[in-house]
Amino acid sequence: MKFLALAYYHEKTFDAMSPDDLKAVVAKCEPLDQALNATGKMEMVASLAATKATVSVRPKNGKPSVTDGPYVETKEQLGSFFLLEAKDMQEAIQLASMHPAANLGENMGWGIEIRPIEFCRAKTIAMPN
């Protein structure tokens, strides 16, 4: 069964961090990311651009209407997502608990939401590193 894990953070707190503090957090993430990857259960991971690069598309008068910003106004922003293969929600929780957002950055509002995927259709996506 596939699960989508959504990793959230406080964008303003993150933006206010010094480059050295950011570098220290990133350094702590790497071993956790490697451990999660080593399970072979993480099928995809992606980091998202800041909310200032985000647009939302909603229906308005029967047509798509585009506005700046995320779909929902909140202090926690979606920063990344990853796709897991797990036998059930308990295993998905166990796997997501290995992610840096579940272990670090408590003062940056990091946290993970896990949603079971009921339907999925995908193609291979190549992204620059």
Side-chain angles (χ1 to χ4, degrees):
M1 184 171 189
K2 297 199 183 311
F3 293 85
L4 180 63
L6 306 167
Y8 289 88
Y9 72 113
H10 291 173
E11 190 172 54
K12 289 181 181 177
T13 303
F14 197 80
D15 289 346
M17 293 176 65
S18 73
D20 287 343
D21 287 344
L22 283 173
K23 191 174 180 179
V25 169
V26 170
K28 291 178 183 175
C29 291
E30 188 61 29
L32 295 166
D33 286 336
Q34 288 177 2
L36 181 54
N37 282 332
T39 66
K41 300 279 188 164
M42 186 161 68
E43 298 188 355
M44 176 185 180
V45 61
S47 179
L48 302 176
T51 57
K52 61 186 172 199
T54 302
V55 299
S56 296
V57 180
R58 297 182 169 106
K60 185 174 183 180
N61 299 323
K63 296 181 179 178
S65 173
V66 180
T67 57
D68 291 338
Y71 189 79
V72 177
E73 296 287 332
T74 177
K75 67 180 181 179
E76 291 93 5
Q77 298 299 327
L78 182 59
S80 66
F81 64 92
F82 50 103
L83 185 62
L84 298 169
E85 177 65 38
K87 65 181 177 190
D88 55 27
M89 179 60 88
Q90 287 305 311
E91 185 180 27
I93 292 169
Q94 179 185 14
L95 293 165
S97 295
M98 298 172 70
H99 190 272
N103 291 281
L104 306 170
E106 188 172 335
N107 61 337
M108 296 182 296
W110 282 9
I112 299 173
E113 176 181 333
I114 304 168
R115 293 189 183 187
I117 294 178
E118 294 179 343
F119 171 81
C120 181
R121 182 180 303 141
K123 67 176 188 176
T124 301
I125 300 171
M127 297 292 292
N129 291 328

